[in-house]
């Protein structure tokens, strides 16, 4: 079963750089920090084959987040983005085929973003470099959508997200992976220290409590205080304060008993230095791992728009080779954009030419129609004139002469006038 965490981030640049451009925490299974990268409503860098590259620039994506941020009523808001982390269990992805499973995890993340955050800019990054070696997905959602409206913070409530993600996984996990979903990420009935019957059940309870408290506090001191005061779990140092042991008083059938467990311990062969067995809760629950978690969680950056000044000096500077690779990918992306614009320009010119030809054809057709109409009218007038001439020729000759004589006789008498 997977575990869902959420956190509001003050700097989208810091978070994007952390999940994209950092060095792997654990190189046992992978050589790179990011396995698969996808995005929604953002432009991503592509490789030479036109596929989305797993190597992206945090600064390039932050600029796109910033464009939406500047449309907001308050562009200098405290929190710029929301982070959602989904850690899959070995029952869901055992990482035996990392490339295939990373692609499936990315598909699930994209379906989840499209369904619940379709109005937002989002970036998802699949990783498998944690201390525990589990596959997990970082989902970073811009706090302001593309219209400049703030996304409601209650959509990122941890209890709401966990229930939402459980329902999503039950509906989509089998469709994507071809395997039935093992079960919900968060049990509805929380384990309580008063009804724990075995030490293994108590250790499972401690893991759940630690994950819950980590998501609710921001410092390691608050983490230890809340474990002790609210859940009765105390922590003691061992191995010269480099490791922890967890303690708790648990009520069992034989009375109250103290359970304790190490954070993580490896038993090695002294001659070969080979690991023979491991004990404890796991690498994710060690002092070093939890300390690193809170350091990265509280890492701050002063953002002056147009310039960036980081307060952390531990972040490695990008190598010249990586800078050249990013520049080359940016150049390819720019070239692809120009080619697309040129194709659009040619299409528009072709459509304009077709429209012009159609207009000319229409004009020529109308001209031919007018000419044909004039010829018909002329022919009709000619027929009328011919018909009139034929009628005149059909009148008898004597009738014409009589009329002519009468006309001449009348003219003669008029000429003589009256006699006096």
């Amino acid at each position: 079963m997977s575990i869902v965490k959420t956190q509001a981030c003050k700097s989208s640049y810091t978070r994007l750089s952390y999940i994209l451009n950092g060095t792997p925490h654990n190189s046992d299974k992978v050589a790179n920090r990011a396995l698969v990268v996808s995005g929604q409503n953002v432009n991503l860098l592509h490789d030479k084959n036109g596929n989305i590259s797993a190597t992206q620039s945090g600064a390039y994506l932050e600029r796109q987040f910033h464009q939406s941020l500047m449309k907001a009523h308050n562009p200098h808001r405290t929190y710029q983005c929301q982070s959602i982390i989904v850690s899959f269990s070995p029952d869901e992805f055992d990482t035996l085929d990392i490339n295939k499973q990373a692609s499936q995890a990315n598909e699930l993340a994209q379906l989840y973003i499209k369904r619940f955050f379709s109005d937002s800019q989002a970036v998802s990054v699949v990783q498998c470099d944690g201390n525990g070696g589990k596959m997990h997905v970082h989902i970073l959602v811009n706090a302001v959508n593309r219209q400049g409206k703030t996304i409601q913070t209650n959509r990122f409530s941890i209890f709401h997200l966990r229930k939402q993600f459980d329902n999503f996984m039950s509906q989509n996990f089998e469709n994507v992976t071809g395997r039935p979903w093992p079960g919900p990420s968060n049990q509805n009935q929380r384990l309580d220290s008063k009804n724990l019957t075995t030490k293994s059940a108590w250790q499972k309870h401690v893991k759940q409590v630690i994950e819950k408290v980590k998501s609710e506090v921001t410092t390691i001191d608050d983490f230890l205080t809340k474990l002790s005061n609210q859940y009765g779990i105390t922590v003691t140092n061992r191995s010269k304060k480099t490791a922890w042991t967890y303690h708790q008083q648990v009520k069992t059938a034989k009375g109250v008993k103290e359970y304790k467990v190490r954070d993580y311990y490896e038993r090695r062969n002294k001659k070969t230095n080979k690991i023979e067995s491991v004990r404890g809760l796991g690498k994710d629950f060690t002092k070093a791992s939890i300390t690193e978690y809170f350091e990265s969680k509280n890492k701050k950056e002063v953002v002056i728009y147009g310039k960036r000044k980081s307060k952390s000096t531990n972040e490695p500077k990008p190598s010249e080779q990586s800078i050249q690779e990013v520049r080359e990918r940016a150049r390819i992306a720019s070239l692809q954009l120009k080619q697309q614009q040129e194709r659009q320009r040619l299409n528009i010119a072709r459509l304009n030419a077709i429209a012009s030809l159609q207009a000319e054809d229409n004009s020529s057709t109308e001209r031919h129609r007018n000419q044909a109409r004039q010829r018909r009218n002329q022919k009709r007038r000619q027929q009328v004139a011919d018909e009139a001439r034929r009628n005149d020729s059909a009148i008898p000759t004597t009738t014409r002469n009589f009329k002519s004589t009468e006309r001449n006789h009348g003219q003669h008498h008029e000429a003589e006038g009256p006699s006096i």
Side-chain angles (χ1 to χ4, degrees), residues 238 243-244 246 261-264 279-282 285-287:
R238 61 181 180 84
W244 281 346
Y246 297 92
V261 62
R262 297 179 180 182
D263 51 3
Y264 182 73
R279 296 179 182 178
L281 297 179
F285 305 94
T286 62
K287 181 178 181 179

Side-chain angles (χ1 to χ4, degrees), residues 80-344:
Q80 298 181 355
C81 59
Q82 292 280 349
S83 172
I84 302 174
I85 305 174
V86 180
S87 180
F88 298 102
S89 69
D91 295 334
E92 293 168 329
F93 295 110
D94 54 15
T95 67
L96 295 179
D97 188 349
I98 290 183
N99 294 331
K100 178 181 178 181
Q101 293 178 358
S103 177
Q104 293 174 348
N106 175 68
E107 185 176 354
L108 285 170
Q110 285 301 297
L111 287 173
Y112 176 76
I113 294 171
K114 186 176 181 180
R115 179 173 177 182
F116 297 104
F117 300 100
S118 60
D119 58 337
S120 311
Q121 291 176 304
V123 177
S124 63
V125 182
V126 181
Q127 298 179 345
C128 194
D129 64 338
N131 293 327
K134 296 180 181 179
M135 186 167 293
H136 56 281
V137 181
H138 290 267
I139 300 174
L140 205 65
V141 182
N142 195 350
V144 176
N145 63 20
R146 291 180 297 171
Q147 288 72 37
K149 296 182 179 180
T150 302
I151 300 175
Q152 296 177 350
T153 55
N154 59 5
R155 294 170 62 179
F156 299 97
S157 169
I158 185 62
F159 301 104
H160 171 71
L161 283 177
R162 286 174 176 173
K163 184 177 180 180
Q164 184 187 82
F165 193 79
D166 287 344
N167 294 334
F168 170 81
M169 290 288 282
S170 65
Q171 298 171 5
N172 297 276
F173 183 83
E174 187 171 0
N175 296 333
V176 173
T177 64
R179 298 180 286 110
W181 186 44
S185 60
N186 303 279
Q187 302 294 338
N188 293 329
Q189 183 179 5
R190 184 179 63 86
L191 290 174
D192 197 317
S193 60
K194 294 182 180 180
N195 55 29
L196 299 175
T197 57
T198 62
K199 187 174 183 180
S200 61
W202 171 77
Q203 291 181 5
K204 185 177 180 181
H205 163 71
V206 172
K207 289 182 180 180
Q208 291 182 354
V209 170
I210 291 174
E211 293 292 350
K212 182 176 184 299
V213 174
K214 280 171 62 178
S215 64
E216 296 174 347
V217 298
T218 57
T219 65
I220 196 167
D221 292 334
D222 294 340
F223 168 75
L224 296 175
T225 301
K226 192 165 187 176
L227 275 182
S228 177
N229 296 342
Q230 189 169 340
Y231 295 94
I233 301 175
T234 58
V235 179
T236 58
N237 291 301
R238 61 181 180 84
S239 300
K240 298 181 181 179
K241 297 183 179 182
T242 60
W244 281 346
T245 299
Y246 297 92
H247 307 258
Q248 188 178 20
Q249 297 287 334
V250 180
K251 185 178 181 180
T252 65
K254 297 181 181 180
V256 178
K257 184 177 180 180
E258 181 185 8
Y259 280 152
K260 61 181 179 179
V261 62
R262 297 179 180 182
D263 51 3
Y264 182 73
Y265 173 74
E266 295 178 349
R267 183 182 176 188
R268 296 178 177 270
N269 188 303
K270 294 183 179 180
K271 295 182 180 180
T272 61
N273 200 33
K274 183 180 179 180
I275 299 175
E276 295 182 347
S277 63
V278 295
R279 296 179 182 178
L281 297 179
K283 289 184 178 181
D284 289 342
F285 305 94
T286 62
K287 181 178 181 179
S289 177
I290 294 177
T291 302
E292 182 181 359
Y293 169 81
F294 283 111
E295 287 178 352
S296 62
K297 188 175 184 178
N298 297 321
K299 186 178 180 182
K300 297 180 179 180
E301 182 190 63
V302 176
V303 178
I304 303 174
Y305 295 107
K307 298 181 180 180
R308 299 182 182 86
K309 187 186 297 182
S310 177
K311 289 185 177 181
S312 173
T313 58
N314 297 326
E315 184 177 354
K317 295 183 179 179
S319 63
E320 184 66 26
Q321 182 179 0
S322 64
I323 294 175
Q324 292 296 333
E325 291 177 355
V326 171
R327 288 177 178 173
E328 178 64 19
R329 290 190 179 91
R331 187 188 66 80
I332 294 174
S334 177
L335 180 61
Q336 292 175 346
L337 179 60
K338 290 181 179 179
Q339 292 175 349
Q340 183 180 3
Q341 292 174 345
E342 181 65 19
R343 287 194 297 268
Q344 292 176 350

